[in-house]
Amino acid sequence: MTNQLAQAADQVWQQMKTDHSGNWGMDIHQWDWVPGVGVIAMLEYGMQLQQAEGRTDVLDYLQQWVKQNEGKAAAARVINGIAPYAIFPGLNRVSGEEAYRKKAIMIAEWLMKEAPRTREQAFEHTVTENVEFAEQVWADTIFMAVLHLARTAALTGNVEFAEEAQRQVLIHLRLLEDKDSGVLYHGWNCSTKDHMSAARWTRANAWIAAGVPLIAQEISGLVAVEAELRERYVRLMDGLVRYQQADGLWSTVMDQPEFYREISGSAGIAYGLLKAMEGGLLKRDERYEAAAQRALQAILPYIDENGLVGGVSGGTPVMESIAAYNNIPLYPTLYGQGLVLMLLLQQLS
């Protein structure tokens, strides 16, 4: 099994760096959340290969990727455009190049001082497309922007960055939680005080399931991880395990079992279970381990012989109805590749 997972990880990574120019889902040479999730996963892969085998090819690729693509970062910074910067603290550590450190701090300062916020002080979810979601809080923000803030906190020892990262996680968990089930709604509208279509969208939950253990790992050396964060995260993960389908996957809207199964969200949740147990946010529990293993086994057949991950839903704003989520088309994407790669790596670690 170890060899199978390692081979799958290599195939997934090789496909990610293949030239898919003009293909929105797979074009690595952009500066947005789609390649951002991809390069975050690549950094994990590169670090693992360097430690295990002394290989530096993935880390070398990432440094070259930054040189080729950073100039494409949007002039007006937005939350979704922060995602690729989350690799800068790691690249600073492995290369010693001060430019990565300086830019990481600059972006973290923008988040602290300039990023638009809702009336509840959550980062407003801003995107590179020419559309606004005023006063909206999305689960996606935790992975796309707060992870960078936490990693820069750890890099610099900046307690204020760490405190703000934890505060953002708590605000998002409080606003998005479905109190009956413990899982999260996709978004919250601060103006209308509602969850809009009130969809328990699987990938939204995956961004937080996967992102919070990474954030807690980064900030724990600077601030105490609050009991409320731990309690809310446990409720979330318990709720997600209850919604897992018999085949090991989650429906794209998890409380709609007749909706199609969605691989990126399923991978992110399974990764979160394993990562949170490793880091102590979740206790070691056979239920969590079994859920993660069932998901992994169900996901492997979706990786084709060329390393392309199928069953991944396209880019998804908060939709106007729950039914509309089931109409989002499926196609390979870098965030699907990335979340699956992270799950494979966590299982191999």
Side-chain angles (χ1 to χ4, degrees), residues 12-48:
V12 169
W13 133 256
Q14 293 290 345
Q15 191 60 240
M16 291 168 82
K17 70 187 181 89
T18 299
D19 184 9
H20 292 280
S21 297
N23 178 338
W24 177 85
M26 289 296 294
D27 189 351
I28 193 71
H29 295 296
Q30 300 297 325
W31 197 273
D32 201 357
W33 70 279
V34 177
V37 177
V39 296
I40 288 168
M42 286 183 191
L43 180 67
E44 298 294 312
Y45 190 37
M47 297 289 283
Q48 190 175 106

Side-chain angles (χ1 to χ4, degrees), residues 57-281:
D57 53 310
V58 179
L59 297 175
D60 293 342
Y61 171 85
L62 285 174
Q63 292 185 70
Q64 208 41 50
W65 180 84
V66 170
K67 290 176 183 176
Q68 292 177 355
N69 296 291
E70 190 184 1
K72 300 173 185 175
R77 294 195 177 102
V78 295
I79 288 299
N80 272 352
I82 301 304
Y85 289 112
I87 69 173
F88 278 42
L91 291 180
N92 172 254
R93 289 191 178 98
V94 300
S95 72
E97 289 189 26
E98 186 64 16
Y100 293 124
R101 178 186 175 92
K102 288 181 178 177
K103 182 55 70 74
I105 294 170
M106 181 185 303
I107 297 302
E109 292 284 2
W110 179 82
L111 286 167
M112 294 288 290
K113 299 175 181 177
E114 299 180 50
R117 296 182 185 234
T118 70
R119 62 194 69 188
E120 287 97 343
Q121 289 303 298
F123 293 144
E124 184 179 281
H125 193 80
T126 51
V127 299
T128 51
E129 293 84 2
N130 186 26
V131 60
E132 294 184 3
F133 301 102
E135 287 286 335
Q136 289 190 19
V137 179
W138 293 14
D140 314 44
T141 299
I142 295 301
F143 200 95
M144 305 312 161
V146 180
L147 177 58
H148 171 75
L149 190 59
R151 287 183 168 177
T152 307
L155 178 69
T156 60
N158 189 309
V159 173
E160 290 184 0
F161 290 173
E163 289 174 341
E164 184 61 26
Q166 177 156 235
R167 186 162 79 113
Q168 287 297 322
V169 169
L170 284 168
I171 292 171
H172 281 72
L173 289 173
R174 290 166 186 161
L175 292 177
L176 297 174
E177 185 184 63
D178 168 22
K179 292 177 174 53
D180 291 332
S181 68
V183 303
L184 307 178
Y185 294 107
H186 187 176
W188 168 259
N189 188 312
C190 302
S191 298
T192 55
K193 300 291 185 184
D194 60 36
H195 293 104
M196 296 172 278
S197 58
R200 299 171 183 87
W201 184 46
T202 287
R203 193 161 65 232
N205 282 263
W207 293 132
I208 291 187
V212 170
L214 290 169
I215 291 166
Q217 174 181 285
E218 299 290 349
I219 66 174
S220 59
L222 297 171
V223 298
V225 177
E226 293 187 24
E228 181 189 353
L229 187 151
R230 294 177 181 276
E231 291 162 3
R232 288 183 179 276
Y233 187 79
V234 170
R235 284 203 298 275
L236 165 62
M237 302 310 281
D238 284 344
L240 292 177
V241 169
R242 286 193 293 271
Y243 277 118
Q244 187 177 26
Q245 299 297 317
D247 59 11
L249 301 173
W250 281 263
S251 299
T252 192
V253 178
M254 65 183 64
D255 60 336
Q256 305 295 319
E258 73 281 8
F259 283 17
Y260 66 73
R261 305 296 190 259
E262 206 284 319
I263 296 304
S264 67
S266 297
I269 292 168
Y271 168 82
L273 286 164
L274 295 176
K275 188 69 176 177
M277 283 191 290
E278 176 189 77
L281 270 185

